[in-house]
Amino acid sequence: MATPTVVLVPVWGAGHLMSLLESGKRLLARSVRALSLTVLVMRAPTEQLAAELSDHIRREEASGLDVRFVHLPAVAPPTDWIGIEEFISRLAQMHAPHVRAAISGLAAPVAGVVLDFFCSSLLDVCRDLAVPGYVYFTSNAAMVAFMLRLPALHEEVPVEFEEMEGAIDVPGLPPVPPSCVPTPVTDKKNPNYTWFTYHGRRFAEVDAIIINTAAELEPSALAAIADGRCTRGVRALTVYPIGPVISFPPPPDQPHECVRWLDAQAPGSVVLLCFGSGGFFAAPQAREIAHGLERSGHRFLWVLRGPPAPGSMHPTDANLDETLPDGFLERTKDRGLVWPTWAPQKEILAHAAVGGFVTHGGWNSALESLWHGVPMAPWPLYAEQHTNAFRLWPPWALPWR
């Protein structure tokens, strides 16, 4: 009889794809029964993302693990979207016929289907095919608790969260200030809010939720989910905290230039400023940061990205001459490095010279910093980062918005 397979359905972003794939590889390594992995690959919506996705897949195919990649037919992406959360959710939903056909056509029996949380609409496919359906959540248990609570909050709070009096009640969390809700739900008229409410409602239907967190890190939020306090009137959910899930690719043959620069710095002497794959600053704000770094007198490594090009979703490489104050690079050349493009954050955080991390607070970055024992100062920008910061730092330390 063919070895059963677990089907993974990620979205294309590296922070989602690699985390889900790494969790699947852990399952292969630790399962008491023989299993394989089948990864259903949606075509990325931009050429840049498509190239990055192809690189990831090539590396995994060369690893020798029992992982098969099935490329789904291309789907014309929506053109009338407002926010990235809406775009991803709608595009995932449009893949439903292809996901159904791909799973139905597998020769191996399907042990279960694990969906990225943006793909909760594909739970209908699991039900149609009578296979177990799971959601993999790349962020933390606090965010899962909030999303499970969101459909009820939608009925209980008729105004925008920022207009309500007092804090928001989410079981397993301290009272949540309205300023700390995820950015997609700050405007109830926005389709992103509608989609987050939809996902929270669908999460209550899954066979289990798999979360990239550790039981020791979020015991109260995990207990609230498992006890059914986040989904009153609905069955309690099975939840599996399996984190921290962090992929560590082999080091390159030649160290990155940022790593070589760190080699010349004293232990714990450098603060890293890095704001994730979607974080950027326009010139006026970048200049203010530069003034602060210069006046601080401290050593720094600043990964600085520029605003996306028109029609793009991704930051551009920063033009340092146009973005930074005149003479800044020359005045700080002996104690700072500004890097205007992608940088290997995990390698940098692992370096002994890094003593602090100014971060956007994305969950992958937070886990990497915790893993390497680097203190963090959060500067949340978008998505669930304000909620992450609320969980990782006391509320009085949150001056944003």
Side-chain angles (χ1 to χ4, degrees):
M1 185 175 178
T3 300
T5 192
V6 175
V7 178
L8 308 182
V9 187
V11 295
W12 47 87
H16 287 251
L17 170 73
M18 298 309 294
S19 183
L20 179 51
L21 186 55
E22 188 69 22
S23 71
K25 289 155 65 174
R26 289 188 181 191
L27 179 63
L28 289 187
R30 300 179 185 182
S31 175
V32 296
R33 59 187 286 201
L35 289 173
S36 67
L37 290 182
T38 301
V39 184
L40 305 187
V41 181
M42 303 178 196
R43 177 171 175 77
T46 69
E47 292 304 318
Q48 176 184 337
L49 283 172
E52 294 172 0
L53 183 62
S54 296
D55 289 342
H56 290 315
I57 291 173
R58 277 196 295 270
R59 286 196 295 270
E60 295 299 334
E61 287 178 330
S63 69
L65 294 173
D66 196 359
V67 182
R68 300 176 182 84
F69 292 88
V70 176
H71 293 265
L72 300 174
V75 170
T79 57
D80 58 343
W81 53 279
I82 294 176
I84 187 62
E85 293 84 4
E86 177 199 7
F87 177 85
I88 298 172
S89 300
R90 288 176 59 187
L91 189 54
Q93 187 178 48
M94 294 164 69
H95 279 83
H98 303 309
V99 171
R100 181 180 289 105
I103 295 174
S104 300
L106 293 174
V110 177
V113 178
V114 184
L115 305 166
D116 182 278
F117 77 88
F118 278 116
C119 301
S120 73
S121 61
L122 301 179
L123 286 167
D124 293 331
V125 174
C126 301
R127 299 295 171 258
D128 292 347
L129 299 178
V131 296
Y134 306 89
V135 158
Y136 179 74
F137 205 81
T138 52
S139 191
N140 53 29
M143 189 62 190
V144 173
F146 181 89
M147 291 187 68
L148 288 170
R149 178 85 171 93
L150 186 58
L153 285 172
H154 177 67
E155 304 298 329
E156 297 169 15
V157 183
V159 297
E160 299 290 355
F161 289 123
E162 65 179 12
E163 298 171 356
M164 65 180 290
E165 296 182 3
I168 302 166
D169 171 40
V170 179
L173 307 186
V176 180
S179 61
C180 296
V181 301
T183 54
V185 302
T186 54
D187 179 2
K188 292 188 175 185
K189 299 179 292 296
N190 192 299
N192 291 332
Y193 175 91
T194 303
W195 272 105
F196 261 53
T197 306
Y198 172 87
H199 291 311
R201 188 175 296 112
R202 296 307 303 266
F203 291 172
E205 304 173 20
V206 301
D207 288 274
I209 297 181
I210 305 164
I211 309 177
N212 185 12
T213 192
E216 299 84 354
L217 193 57
E218 300 187 273
S220 58
L222 290 166
I225 297 167
D227 294 345
R229 284 179 278 141
C230 300
T231 49
R232 297 167 189 147
V234 181
R235 65 181 176 85
L237 293 173
T238 301
V239 58
Y240 296 112
I242 63 166
V245 176
I246 305 172
S247 62
F248 292 101
D253 294 334
Q254 295 294 327
H256 190 273
E257 185 173 336
C258 290
V259 175
R260 295 199 301 271
W261 182 84
L262 288 169
D263 287 340
Q265 313 306 317
S269 65
V270 175
V271 60
L272 167 67
L273 296 88
C274 188
F275 299 92
S277 58
F280 65 88
F281 293 106
Q285 197 165 28
R287 292 188 187 110
E288 291 299 320
I289 297 171
H291 289 313
L293 289 171
E294 185 171 358
R295 293 175 63 186
S296 76
H298 290 292
R299 296 183 179 276
F300 63 88
L301 169 54
W302 182 10
V303 182
L304 174 61
R305 309 300 304 280
S312 174
M313 306 177 192
H314 311 290
T316 54
D317 294 347
N319 184 322
L320 300 185
D321 291 334
E322 295 179 0
T323 303
L324 297 174
D326 290 342
F328 171 78
L329 294 176
E330 178 64 24
R331 292 191 300 271
T332 60
K333 65 181 181 180
D334 293 331
R335 60 181 177 85
L337 173 64
V338 182
W339 190 255
T341 186
W342 177 88
Q345 180 176 283
K346 284 195 286 275
E347 292 178 49
I348 292 170
L349 287 171
H351 201 285
V354 176
F357 183 22
V358 179
T359 171
H360 63 312
W363 191 240
N364 286 328
S365 292
L367 290 178
E368 291 167 11
S369 198
L370 288 168
W371 182 271
H372 292 295
V374 178
M376 291 173 277
W379 189 336
L381 300 175
Y382 56 89
E384 90 291 11
Q385 293 157 18
H386 292 83
T387 311
N388 293 345
F390 169 71
R391 292 301 293 129
L392 290 172
W393 292 269
W396 49 260
L398 303 178
W400 316 287
R401 290 207 195 133

